């Protein structure tokens, strides 16, 4: 969960709070200095004063070229600023700098000043000539330090744990444990872990230290968790939907508890392909949308932990050994730590057991401990390390092999195997989903099922409070690690040393290891103890209240029923398809308005003049009885009934909008980037609307009445002109010459052509002619490229070419940064910190070693140090002030050429299909 107030953060950022300069050195005595610009002596030409940071109001601070200052010697420095008196929307300015260094350090440095466009910097060497007095420079330094890191923290960038630590460090230096500096109303609220379902590291990073100390004290946990009411939304009655249906069910479903998620793979090879595709496509796309350049190494972590390297075992285990595979677990917290279970339906189980035994023997030669025993009468064998980097247990149920990282999870599987009445086979929604997505059809690669009971348990008090406690413990580990980062970096803290901190009660059992911190209770930041293994039998009053608030928010989203989910995945060469069913929809669903607009109408599969070359094509079924249609009918009917009793009687069942490839899009972007919007010929936008026609005669009556109404209501204001193309007539509607409009005004027009089955409207005459060409070709039985394209949904459909992302992602380049650029640049502030604090370390490798997260550039490049500009940059995307040309949008993500989406509303639910083509 990212906590951002982008507008305020950007506004305050323009004050010029700069990057911190950190040097890995110690000082006998700190000296604090504040100097205004007037107190600096510049070598060569001095910059224009006062200094205004280049900014755009709705940009993030990390995305714009800003004033920066670097000291030539050891120490750290922050820019100081304030708002110009008067309107709060005037441009803020930087007024000077706060410095901390030792007594012997030279007060010299370099000032980097961006030009007005933020496209380049000028460098100004300086030395401090006159220090400002009249206030305490130490207090001002820590105020500026706090403001700097508070703003970085507010942006949700990688390294939030360090930014949070530095913020608290500044407050502690001023004996202010919790009161933030006044930053024009920018107050960062603590993240709420109860609202999180993924256990993502970002939330743990952003939990305030005071919140960590306050919540989760075991002395206050006196309330029985089972006494807390969970989600009470009713379950949907699936009985009537599965009556008479007897689909083939997955053999492994009998081992999976009904309240756990399940992913079924028809073969081991299918599972490997899905995981590989997730790496090749899913990870970059997720980074594209999350705008963070982080790789949590989730797949790599679990493969190593379970001793199941997919590529190696996949070569050893073909279809002759493994028939099918299923993956399950008790929660969705894969990134932070979950109990993961893999089930293998085997034809030759002994061969798989042999492979696992060989892998265990290999790691047991190092530091893994061999374990074996019995659970529910089932023998298991495995090995585990103290930090659970390796935790692999396996057991055999006849011809089924189970591999898991948790004995608690293995016990649940064993219990379900003994009594399948509580297995997934008992979930009616699973039967419904398996009937819709039949085994063996459509080259299925995987089927994901989330039952009612699964979502209900995920949202229950035991899981939510347990996960909240884990995330608070992870945040405590982050803070302890940040406090001792110098010792950890220099390896001066011996493994096994206690890491308890009296100010952080949750750290009582923390211990230092070679790889960081570990807690026997909570695990490590790289793998938190699974929720199912935590004792959450007793909770505090504050935790109970927090959960009840969460439950109220969560439950308010459903009208009457819960909505289980199933998704079928198909990987077929260059085609990637996901077909999801969600029933019923939540009360506040984003689809609600679309449903009301299209409900009752069905989109023909070839509606809307399908053709190649369109940049985008959107279609939806149109319901004439919808509220919107009723309003149009009421308005167009008029008091005299000019358009008839039913003005829309001619209307068919669909409406489509498409945009063609055209130089206009690039011209618009170029004019926008130059801030010359007045030069954009909006009337030339290459977009057309096609409305299906049910009764062409009634359409003719409607258009005739519309023309007459225009002439009567606004005589002499418009000119209706009949034109011909391909022996077909079309109409041009433009402003009358009598209005005296400028040249552009005279050229603006609306064109329409009526076919037997459609009405096409567009501001572009060439698009009308193209539509006529395609109509004539179809009528003559001639081929039309792309005419065989069919919509994936019965209610709405969308086709997108990859270029549409390039066109639309930066229409306003001042306010929108390509998400790939945003993701890459988001890593630069923390990498700058590590380079300056630990100059002998590789910043990327250091960040991964300390926090267990790999920072990556979405384009596949590297992060490198630019010594001339004293900052890190991406080899793919450059840095603020010096961006590099690159392939924008989806071009940077896995070679995806186009995407198709379809929506079908059905019985309080929705079916959504997404298809990507490489």
């Amino acid at each position: 969960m990212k906590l951002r107030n982008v507008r305020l953060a950007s506004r305050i950022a323009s004050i010029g709070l700069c990057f911190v300069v950190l040097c890995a050195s110690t000082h006998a005595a700190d000296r604090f200095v504040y100097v205004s610009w007037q107190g600096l002596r510049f070598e060569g030409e001095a910059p224009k004063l006062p200094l205004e940071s280049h900014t755009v109001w709705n940009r993030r601070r990390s995305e714009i070229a800003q004033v920066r200052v670097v000291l030539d010697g050891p120490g750290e420095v922050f820019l100081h600023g304030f708002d110009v008196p008067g309107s709060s929307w005037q441009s803020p300015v930087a007024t000077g700098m706060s410095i901390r260094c030792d007594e012997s350090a030279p007060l010299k440095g370099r000032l980097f000043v961006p030009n007005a466009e933020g496209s380049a910097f000028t460098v100004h060497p300086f030395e401090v000539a006159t220090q400002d007095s009249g206030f305490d420079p130490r207090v001002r330094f820590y105020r500026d330090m706090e403001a700097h890191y508070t703003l970085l923290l507010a942006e949700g960038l990688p390294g939030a744990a360090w930014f949070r630590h530095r913020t608290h460090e500044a407050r502690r230096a001023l004996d202010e444990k919790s009161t933030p500096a006044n930053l024009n109303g920018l107050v960062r609220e603590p993240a709420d872990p109860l609202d999180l379902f993924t256990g993502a590291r970002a939330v743990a990073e952003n939990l305030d230290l005071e919140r960590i100390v306050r919540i989760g004290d075991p002395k206050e946990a006196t309330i029985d968790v089972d006494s807390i009411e969970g989600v009470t939304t009713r379950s949907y009655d699936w009985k009537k939907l599965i009556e008479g249906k007897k689909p083939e069910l997955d053999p492994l479903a009998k081992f999976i508890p009904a309240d756990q998620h399940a992913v079924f793979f028809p073969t081991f090879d299918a599972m490997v392909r899905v995981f590989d595709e997730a790496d090749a496509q899913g990870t970059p796309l997720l980074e594209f949308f999350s705008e963070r350049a982080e790789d949590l190494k989730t797949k790599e972590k679990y493969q190593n932990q379970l001793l199941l390297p997919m590529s190696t075992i996949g070569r050893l285990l073909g279809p002759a050994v493994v028939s099918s595979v299923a993956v399950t677990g008790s929660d969705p917290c894969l990134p932070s730590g979950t109990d993961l279970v893999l089930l293998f339906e085997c034809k030759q189980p002994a061969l798989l057991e042999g492979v696992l035994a060989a892998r265990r023997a290999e790691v047991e030669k190092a530091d893994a401990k061999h374990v074996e025993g019995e659970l529910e009468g089932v023998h298991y064998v495995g090995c585990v390390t103290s930090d659970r980097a390796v935790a692999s247990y396996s057991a055999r149920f006849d011809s089924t092999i189970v591999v898991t990282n948790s004995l608690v999870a293995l016990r649940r599987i064993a219990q379900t195997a003994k009594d399948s009445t509580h297995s997934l086979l008992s979930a009616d929604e699973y039967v419904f989903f398996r009937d819709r997505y039949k085994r063996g059809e459509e080259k299925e690669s995987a089927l994901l099922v989330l039952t009612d009971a699964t979502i209900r348990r995920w949202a229950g008090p035991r899981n939510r409070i347990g996960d909240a406690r884990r995330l608070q413990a992870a945040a405590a580990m982050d803070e302890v690690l940040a406090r001792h980062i110098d010792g950890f970096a220099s390896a001066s803290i011996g493994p096994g040393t206690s890491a308890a901190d009296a100010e952080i009660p949750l750290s009582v059992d923390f211990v230092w290891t070679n790889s960081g911190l570990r807690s026997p209770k909570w695990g490590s930041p790289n793998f938190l103890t699974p929720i199912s293994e935590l004792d959450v039998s007793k909770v505090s009053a504050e935790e109970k209240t927090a959960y009840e608030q969460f439950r109220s928010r969560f439950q308010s989203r459903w009208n009457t029923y819960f909505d289980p989910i199933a998704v079928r995945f198909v990987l077929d060469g260059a085609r990637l398809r996901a077909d999801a069913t969600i029933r019923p929809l939540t009360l506040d669903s984003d689809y609600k308005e679309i449903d009301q607009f299209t409900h009752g109408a069905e989109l023909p599969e070839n509606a809307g003049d399908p053709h190649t070359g369109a940049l985008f094509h959107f279609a939806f079924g149109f319901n004439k009885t919808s509220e919107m249609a009723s309003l149009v009918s009421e308005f167009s009917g008029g008091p005299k009934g000019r358009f008839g009793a039913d003005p829309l009687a001619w209307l068919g069942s669909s409406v489509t909008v498409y945009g063609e490839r055209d130089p206009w899009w690039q011209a618009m972007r170029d004019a926008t980037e130059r801030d010359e919007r007045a030069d954009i010929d909006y009337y030339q936008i290459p977009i057309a609307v096609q409305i299906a026609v049910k009764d062409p005669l009634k359409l003719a009556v409607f258009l005739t009445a519309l023309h007459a109404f225009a002439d009567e209501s606004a005589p002499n204001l418009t000119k209706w002109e009949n034109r011909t193309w391909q022996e077909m007539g079309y109409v041009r509607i433009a402003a009358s010459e009598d209005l005296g409009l400028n040249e552009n005004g005279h050229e603006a027009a609306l064109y329409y052509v009526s076919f037997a089955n459609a009405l096409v409207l567009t501001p572009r005459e060439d698009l009308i002619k193209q539509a006529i060409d395609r109509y004539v070709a179809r009528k003559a039985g001639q081929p039309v490229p792309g005419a065989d394209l069919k919509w994936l949904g019965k209610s709405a459909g969308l086709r997108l070419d990859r270029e549409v992302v390039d066109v639309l992602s930066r229409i306003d380049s001042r306010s929108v940064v390509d998400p790939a650029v945003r993701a890459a640049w988001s890593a630069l502030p923390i990498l700058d910190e590590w380079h300056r604090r630990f100059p002998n370390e590789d910043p990327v490798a250091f960040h991964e070693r300390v926090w267990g997260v790999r920072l990556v550039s979405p384009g596949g490049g590297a992060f490198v140090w630019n010594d001339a500009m004293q900052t890190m940059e991406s080899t793919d995307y450059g840095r603020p002030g010096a961006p590099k040309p690159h392939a924008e949008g989806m071009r940077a993500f896995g070679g995806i050429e186009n995407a198709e989406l379809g929506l079908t509303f059905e019985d309080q639910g929705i079916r959504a299909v997404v298809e990507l083509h490489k």
Side-chain angles (χ1 to χ4, degrees):
M1 181 183 300
K2 299 178 182 177
L3 183 63
R4 303 192 190 107
N5 189 329
V6 175
R7 180 172 295 177
L8 285 175
S10 299
R11 176 182 167 215
I12 300 164
S14 63
I15 297 173
L17 299 172
C18 71
F19 291 97
V20 183
V21 180
L22 300 170
C23 296
S25 58
T26 57
H27 311 294
D30 282 336
R31 173 171 52 157
F32 294 91
V33 173
Y34 175 75
V35 57
S36 64
W37 303 134
Q38 290 73 23
L40 298 179
R41 182 183 301 116
F42 290 97
E43 177 184 322
E45 182 179 358
K48 179 183 177 181
L49 300 173
L51 290 174
E52 292 190 19
S53 286
H54 173 73
T55 188
V56 178
W57 297 124
N58 52 352
R59 284 273 196 94
R60 303 178 190 179
R61 179 169 177 259
S62 55
E63 296 169 2
I64 58 179
Q66 297 190 82
V67 177
R68 297 186 294 111
V69 62
V70 174
L71 295 180
D72 288 345
E76 52 186 334
V77 57
F78 303 94
L79 291 185
H80 177 79
F82 61 87
D83 286 339
V84 173
S87 169
S88 61
W89 290 102
Q90 291 181 350
S91 295
V93 297
T95 60
M97 65 180 74
S98 294
I99 301 171
R100 180 176 70 177
C101 60
D102 62 31
E103 294 291 346
S104 61
L107 296 177
K108 295 182 178 181
R110 281 162 287 173
L111 199 62
F112 297 84
V113 182
N115 60 15
E117 294 76 29
S119 59
F121 283 89
T122 56
V123 185
H124 304 273
F126 69 84
E127 63 176 329
V128 176
T130 306
Q131 302 179 28
D132 286 27
S133 58
F135 47 81
D136 187 342
R138 178 181 178 278
V139 172
R140 175 159 288 191
F141 172 86
Y142 284 114
R143 289 289 187 213
D144 292 338
M145 173 181 169
E146 178 193 356
H148 173 79
Y149 286 107
T150 297
L151 286 169
L152 287 177
L153 189 58
E155 289 196 29
L157 307 175
W162 177 253
F163 301 146
R164 182 194 65 201
H165 162 73
R166 293 286 282 169
T167 300
H168 286 298
E169 190 175 49
R171 294 176 190 173
R172 285 196 300 272
L174 297 173
D175 295 324
E176 296 177 356
K177 296 188 180 298
S178 61
T179 304
N182 181 11
L183 292 173
N184 290 352
L186 177 61
V187 178
R188 189 178 155 273
E189 298 177 359
D192 186 353
L194 286 174
D195 280 332
L196 190 72
F197 268 81
T198 63
R201 178 74 179 253
V203 170
E205 286 183 337
N206 284 286
L207 290 178
D208 281 339
L209 183 63
E210 287 78 9
R211 189 176 179 86
I212 300 167
V213 174
R214 188 174 67 247
I215 297 179
D217 187 342
K219 296 178 183 178
E220 299 177 1
T222 59
I223 301 172
D224 189 339
V225 72
D226 292 332
S227 69
I228 303 174
E229 185 176 55
V231 175
T232 58
T233 303
R234 286 188 297 165
S235 297
Y236 191 67
D237 183 10
W238 295 88
K239 294 292 184 184
K240 58 183 180 181
L241 296 180
I242 64 172
E243 186 175 350
K245 299 183 185 297
K246 294 184 178 181
E248 180 186 355
L249 303 179
D250 300 273
L252 295 174
K254 66 182 179 181
F255 297 100
I256 300 175
D259 62 353
Q260 292 191 177
H261 65 276
V263 187
F264 297 102
F265 302 93
T267 64
F268 189 93
D269 183 58
M271 179 178 68
V272 174
R273 288 201 315 271
V274 170
F275 287 170
D276 288 345
E277 196 64 41
D279 266 3
Q281 304 290 346
T283 299
L285 286 173
L286 288 176
E287 289 166 359
F288 179 89
F289 290 111
S290 70
E291 302 169 0
R292 287 168 67 100
E294 295 177 309
D295 178 5
L296 300 178
K297 304 186 297 182
T298 303
K299 173 186 168 184
E300 176 185 330
K301 175 172 64 179
Y302 285 103
Q303 285 188 113
N304 293 336
Q305 186 185 51
L306 293 169
L307 304 181
L308 285 172
M310 296 301 174
S311 58
T312 302
I313 293 184
R315 289 193 296 267
L316 299 174
L317 303 177
V321 178
V322 176
S323 299
S324 66
V325 185
V327 177
T328 186
S330 65
D331 63 61
C333 304
L334 214 64
S336 56
T338 188
D339 50 357
L340 193 63
V341 183
L342 276 74
L343 302 100
F344 300 89
E345 180 195 6
C346 297
K347 297 177 181 178
Q348 301 182 57
L351 289 180
L352 178 54
E353 286 181 316
V355 171
L356 293 171
R359 293 287 292 133
R360 286 195 300 268
E362 183 180 339
V363 297
E364 285 170 9
K365 292 178 181 178
D367 58 345
K369 178 183 176 183
H370 180 83
V371 293
E372 59 181 299
E374 275 198 9
L375 285 174
E376 304 294 328
V378 177
H379 181 262
Y380 70 87
V381 62
C383 58
V384 62
T385 56
S386 59
D387 60 358
R388 292 183 77 165
V390 172
S392 178
Y393 308 92
S394 64
R396 179 172 173 175
F397 300 83
D398 296 327
S399 61
T400 298
I401 302 295
V402 176
V403 182
T404 179
N405 60 357
S406 168
L407 289 177
V408 172
L410 182 58
R411 182 183 296 278
R412 289 208 76 200
I413 297 295
Q415 291 171 341
T416 306
K418 290 168 62 176
D419 181 6
S420 62
T421 58
H422 299 291
S423 73
L424 194 59
L425 296 176
S426 67
D428 292 339
E429 59 267 41
Y430 164 66
V431 177
F432 172 84
F433 291 141
R434 245 321 169 201
D435 182 74
R436 166 163 288 188
Y437 303 117
K438 292 181 171 57
R439 291 193 78 210
E441 287 188 354
E442 295 192 18
K443 299 181 180 180
E444 177 179 282
S445 299
L447 177 72
L448 165 68
V449 177
L450 301 180
T451 64
D452 175 291
T454 298
I455 302 174
R456 196 177 299 276
R457 188 168 56 78
W458 285 357
R462 190 179 296 271
N463 263 51
R464 291 296 84 226
I465 294 173
D467 196 26
R469 289 180 179 180
R470 293 192 325 153
L471 293 175
Q472 291 156 10
M477 291 181 190
D478 285 343
E479 178 60 22
V480 171
L481 187 53
R483 292 185 181 190
H484 300 277
I485 198 165
D486 293 320
F488 178 75
S490 62
S492 61
I493 304 177
T497 303
S498 172
D501 189 313
E503 294 184 5
I504 307 176
L506 283 174
S507 70
V508 64
D509 68 343
F510 291 1
V511 177
W512 288 103
T513 69
N514 287 326
S515 58
L517 287 169
R518 183 179 65 84
S519 162
K521 179 177 181 180
W522 302 109
S524 69
N526 291 332
F527 184 78
L528 297 173
T529 301
I531 300 172
S532 62
E533 298 179 14
L534 294 176
D535 179 8
V536 196
S537 57
K538 300 292 183 180
V539 303
S540 68
E542 189 168 11
E543 287 173 320
K544 178 177 183 289
T545 299
Y547 173 75
E548 289 172 343
Q549 292 172 348
F550 159 80
R551 185 191 62 211
S552 177
R553 293 191 300 269
F554 182 84
Q555 209 161 257
S556 65
R557 300 177 62 237
W558 278 267
N559 187 9
T560 53
Y561 303 109
F562 242 22
D563 56 354
I565 299 169
V567 186
R568 166 181 272 172
F569 299 93
V570 175
L571 306 181
D572 181 18
R575 181 174 70 114
L576 293 77
R577 180 185 176 102
D579 186 340
T581 298
I582 307 171
R583 298 183 67 169
L585 286 173
T586 58
L587 182 64
D588 63 346
S589 169
D590 293 334
Y591 298 108
K592 183 178 179 180
E593 292 183 1
I594 302 177
D595 184 19
Q596 292 176 345
F597 197 68
T598 65
H599 190 75
E602 185 168 318
L603 180 68
E605 61 180 14
N606 61 347
D609 186 13
H611 61 276
T612 58
L615 198 62
F616 65 88
H617 205 151
F618 173 62
F620 59 92
F622 185 77
N623 178 14
K624 291 198 302 179
T625 64
S626 67
E627 182 178 351
M628 179 64 72
S630 298
L631 289 174
V632 173
S633 295
E634 181 179 348
F635 175 78
S636 57
K640 297 181 180 180
R642 178 185 297 276
F643 296 95
D646 185 2
L648 301 182
W650 57 271
L651 191 64
S653 61
S654 67
V655 176
T656 64
V657 181
Y658 59 86
E660 300 286 16
R661 285 186 178 86
D662 192 88
W664 183 90
W665 300 104
Q666 185 61 46
M668 179 186 63
R669 288 185 56 187
D670 292 343
T672 303
E673 291 176 359
R674 296 191 305 266
D675 199 17
E676 297 173 352
R677 292 176 179 79
D679 294 339
I680 300 175
D681 296 329
Y682 289 103
Y683 64 88
Q684 284 292 310
I685 184 170
I687 288 180
V689 177
Q690 178 164 316
I691 305 172
V693 173
K694 180 176 67 174
D695 190 329
L697 293 179
K698 291 181 178 179
L699 171 63
V701 173
F702 176 82
L703 293 175
T704 302
L706 181 64
H707 189 175
F709 179 74
D711 287 344
E712 179 181 320
S713 302
N716 305 318
L717 294 185
T718 60
K719 179 181 179 181
W720 296 57
E721 177 185 356
N722 293 321
R723 296 187 176 188
T724 303
W725 177 258
Q726 289 266 49
E727 298 183 357
M728 289 199 67
Y730 64 95
V731 176
R732 179 181 187 267
I733 307 173
S736 172
E737 292 87 346
D738 296 339
L739 294 179
L741 300 178
N742 58 28
E743 184 177 349
N744 284 351
H746 281 302
E747 293 179 1
L750 176 67
Y751 300 85
Y752 75 81
V753 60
S754 55
F755 302 129
N757 62 349
L759 172 67
V760 181
L761 304 97
T762 175
R764 290 278 293 261
E765 188 169 15
D766 56 336
L767 266 61
I768 279 288
K769 292 179 178 180
Q770 292 170 16
I772 292 174
D773 289 340
R774 291 191 293 270
Y775 178 80
V776 170
R778 286 190 177 96
K779 193 173 182 180
Q782 299 173 355
V784 174
D788 57 342
L789 293 173
K790 301 183 187 307
W791 297 107
L792 297 181
K794 295 182 179 180
S795 299
L798 175 65
R799 298 190 186 105
L800 294 173
D801 188 272
R802 69 178 184 182
E803 290 185 21
V804 77
V805 179
D806 302 347
V807 168
L808 300 178
S809 65
R810 295 180 64 191
I811 286 178
D812 187 349
S813 63
R814 299 180 313 154
S815 61
V816 179
V817 173
D818 185 336
V821 176
R822 175 170 290 156
W825 288 1
S826 72
L828 300 185
I830 190 61
L831 292 177
D832 281 343
E833 296 268 324
W834 300 144
H835 186 278
R836 290 166 180 149
R837 190 176 187 97
F838 305 105
N840 297 323
E841 296 265 9
D842 174 357
V844 176
F846 179 79
H847 189 85
E848 183 174 352
R849 179 161 67 93
V850 175
W851 307 109
V853 175
R854 182 184 297 128
L855 297 178
V856 295
S857 182
F863 293 109
V864 297
W865 178 253
N866 184 321
D867 193 61
M869 299 307 296
Q870 291 289 290
T871 183
M872 297 290 293
E873 61 186 16
S874 163
T875 57
D876 297 312
Y877 306 108
R879 53 181 166 76
K884 288 187 176 182
H886 63 282
E888 297 170 2
M890 296 183 76
R891 289 182 180 176
F893 300 94
I896 294 174
E897 290 291 335
N898 55 70
E900 296 186 52
L901 302 92
L903 296 177
T904 302
F905 294 100
E906 51 181 24
D907 191 19
Q908 302 183 55
I910 189 172
R911 184 171 183 177
V913 182
V914 178
E915 199 166 283
L916 306 178
H917 300 267
K918 293 193 291 185

